Amino acid sequence: MFLPGRPLARRPCLLHGLESAPPISASMSREDGLLYYKQMQTIRRMELKADQLYKQKVIRGFCHLYDGQEACGVGIENAIKPTDHLITAYRVHGIAYMRGIPVKSILSELTGRQGGCAKGKGGSMHMYGQNFYGGNGIVGAQVPLGAGVAFAQKYQGFDSLCVAMYGDGAANQGQIFEAFNMSYLWSLPCLFVCENNQYGMGTAVERASANIDYYQRGDYIPGIKVDGMDVLCVREATKFAADYIRSGKGPMLMELETYRYHGHSMSDPGISYRTREEIKEVRSKSDPISLLRDRLVGSGLSSVEELKEIDVEVRREIEEASQFATSDPEPPLSDLTTHIYQTGLNSRIRGITPWQQLAAA
Amino acid sequence: MGFAGLAVGAAMAGLRPICEFMTFNFSMQAIDQVVNSAGKTLYMSAGSVHVPVVFRGPNGASAGVAAQHSQCFAAWYGHCPGLKVLSPWNSLDSKGLLKAAIRDDDPVVFLENELMYGVPFDMPEEAQSPDFLLPIGKAHVERTGQHITVVAHSRVVGFCLEAATALAKEGIDCEVINLRSIRPLDMATVEQSVMKTNHLITVEGGWPLFGVGAEICASIMEGPAFDYLDAPATRVTGVDIPMPYARNLEEISGPQVKDIIMAARRMLTGREESRATA
């Protein structure tokens, strides 16, 4: 059953429980424009490289790609501070990059090598960094965790907030509403972000949710619905939300209307529940990188040639990272039993058979 | 799920939260946050994120609270790597182990017992200090003995000591071990005891299948103490049923002092009834 196409119309933010809105115009310097372009292009090419490596069976297991959603990750990170905190679900590679993890470390985590950001022990869904708590595999579980991170900021009197991200597929989880409740009651500095890419695995939003206005689902929590394909919209809306939250007014919910070109994961061709036409249409009318390119060229901030040079540089960087990720050794066998406990107990870990008592470290 | 996750997130971000479940029966709904978010994160992050959270609350049977409020979760949580699981019996255990759990940098599941909350115990001088700690992962021999090792955790430790007093009159000298720690499980203490007494009974309030006693028996088989056993080990457990409400049924749903006495007597003398004259 194919549902009608989704043109993802350009429009101003929709508001819920708010009297003011993010600005409808924003300024972008040349430096910022080129930065956002490079960041989005890096994520795009990194994800396409991951697709390639997965098909070559160098990446195994789960691999959920972010291409199409780049404006979300890039817009958010450019509106918050490195001292702010962020947590998301399993579609994490682009976010991990924006949180400061190098492409090399991301790709070699995907290929399960010791140079990976989790030394090969986490894989696609479990990438962590400074003020960045993954990378979480259980749908929706990261949202109460994010509220807890926000709680810790307020408890310690810090100025920082936590961005807790989830998708349209997770949006009906009970624990998310529990997190909303506590965040509002205790005025936690938490920015809930629903990345609505229209499909929860193979289920379109209309078939999954009785109420698809995800920005309103926080009920008493003010919400905004934002064009998630436009990096400037995302940046401005995030800044607006962050200012609100930092002023101590409590949490906010931001729905980013976006789209993923790949299926849910590499196991999903992504065309049994949507048409190729729909995917093509989004690519031609709403691609986040194209939108920014048009803006940069149209406003004279950059040129087609200059952007092509950036493309070439990005491809080179990704290729280098990929070389590393496919040649770096796998973790040493002794890593099997490391990082079980922080406060070690000098106990032995039972192996496959009773005579294999492995040393914990 | 909400507040358990919130506690775990706060721990990841630098606090030392204590998350209380009214009873561990309710933790079943939040078990994903305990096992997946708290227990596994240090490993998945290769050491970059640790989770110093304590989950505490009453565990196991209470009195008259029926099936959904009476389950023992020692085996469920004890099964999972990445967690530490403690089960205090007396006041000394409760104080020393809880403080150790809070100061520990790993997620700790602290299984208390509602019926023990009101039971007073003498506390030695050093236990009254605010820095009194007990080591996680170490069992404690509550009573030394020569003839049989009785291993238990939580409330039934008291029953084992009562049984030991009664059995002493029949000339059966019990060594009673209070596990204190379910994970890590101190098999070294249990093995050392069994190698001395040659007999083993495990006692627990929880269900028999796949339980704490099952783990102890399997470990004994795999370790040095097996050759010292003069009889197969016996597990004394709760009955393999949901907990009934009616008082008479509830009374026979879990191990009582007389069950422990009978099991020890039967193992050592082959008889269930005592022939003692005292």
Side-chain angles (χ1 to χ4, degrees), chain A residues 118-119 121-122 126 128 133 138 141 144-145 148-149 152 155-156 175 178 182 336 338-339 341-343 345 350 354, chain B residues 1-3 5-6 8-10 12-13 15 32-33 42-47 49 82-84 104-106 183-184 222:
Chain A
K119 304 191 174 123
K121 289 176 70 167
H126 306 296
Y128 303 81
Y133 307 88
I138 306 297
L145 293 179
V149 173
Y155 189 87
Q156 296 171 100
Q175 61 187 322
E178 290 184 50
M182 289 183 286
L336 185 71
T338 54
H339 310 119
Y341 290 138
Q342 178 81 348
T343 316
L345 290 170
R350 204 235 198 260
Chain B
M1 296 166 92
F3 68 74
L6 190 138
V8 175
M12 289 178 180
L15 301 185
D32 172 63
Q33 297 289 7
L42 187 75
Y43 191 85
M44 294 189 295
S45 68
V49 180
L83 295 177
K84 290 171 180 165
D104 193 283
D105 286 336
D106 291 302
R183 178 183 269 267
E222 293 177 346

Side-chain angles (χ1 to χ4, degrees), chain A residues 2 91 136 145 154 176 191 208 231 304 314 328 341 348:
Chain A
F2 297 106
R91 199 174 301 283
N136 289 273
L145 293 179
K154 180 166 180 169
I176 291 184
L191 173 56
V231 68
V304 171
V314 167
D328 199 44
Y341 290 138
R348 304 247 116 199

Side-chain angles (χ1 to χ4, degrees), chain A residues 199-360:
Chain A
Y199 298 94
M201 285 182 78
T203 306
V205 292
E206 293 87 2
R207 288 177 58 233
S209 292
N211 179 353
I212 60 169
D213 292 317
Y214 297 106
Y215 70 109
Q216 295 179 0
R217 302 287 294 278
D219 186 12
Y220 34 78
I221 295 181
I224 31 176
K225 179 164 175 158
V226 178
D227 178 354
M229 304 306 265
D230 184 333
V231 68
L232 284 183
C233 284
V234 178
R235 186 192 75 182
E236 289 307 304
T238 306
K239 263 199 202 142
F240 170 84
D243 287 343
Y244 175 94
I245 292 167
R246 264 187 251 280
S247 71
K249 297 200 187 87
M252 187 176 281
L253 169 51
M254 180 166 77
E255 177 188 344
L256 299 177
E257 194 172 22
T258 183
Y259 199 84
R260 52 164 163 81
Y261 295 137
H262 270 84
H264 165 72
S265 73
M266 288 303 296
S267 316
D268 171 21
I271 47 166
S272 56
Y273 48 86
R274 55 185 187 171
T275 61
R276 287 187 209 269
E277 284 69 44
E278 176 185 292
I279 305 172
K280 255 198 271 200
E281 187 167 10
V282 175
R283 245 191 236 280
S284 68
K285 298 215 176 98
S286 314
D287 182 273
I289 298 175
S290 302
L291 288 178
L292 182 61
R293 178 187 293 124
D294 293 345
R295 272 216 174 101
L296 288 171
V297 173
S299 64
L301 286 178
S302 183
S303 67
V304 171
E305 293 72 34
E306 182 175 31
L307 296 178
K308 274 216 172 77
E309 276 171 36
I310 296 179
D311 291 349
V312 167
E313 195 193 324
V314 167
R315 262 179 227 261
R316 193 186 45 77
E317 281 172 22
I318 302 295
E319 195 52 49
E320 241 175 69
S322 174
Q323 287 302 324
F324 176 82
T326 46
S327 59
D328 199 44
E330 286 184 305
L333 296 183
S334 53
D335 270 11
L336 185 71
T337 51
T338 54
H339 310 119
I340 307 286
Y341 290 138
Q342 178 81 348
T343 316
L345 290 170
N346 299 317
S347 40
R348 304 247 116 199
I349 290 179
R350 204 235 198 260
I352 307 251
T353 49
W355 42 90
Q356 251 186 7
Q357 292 291 325
L358 308 167

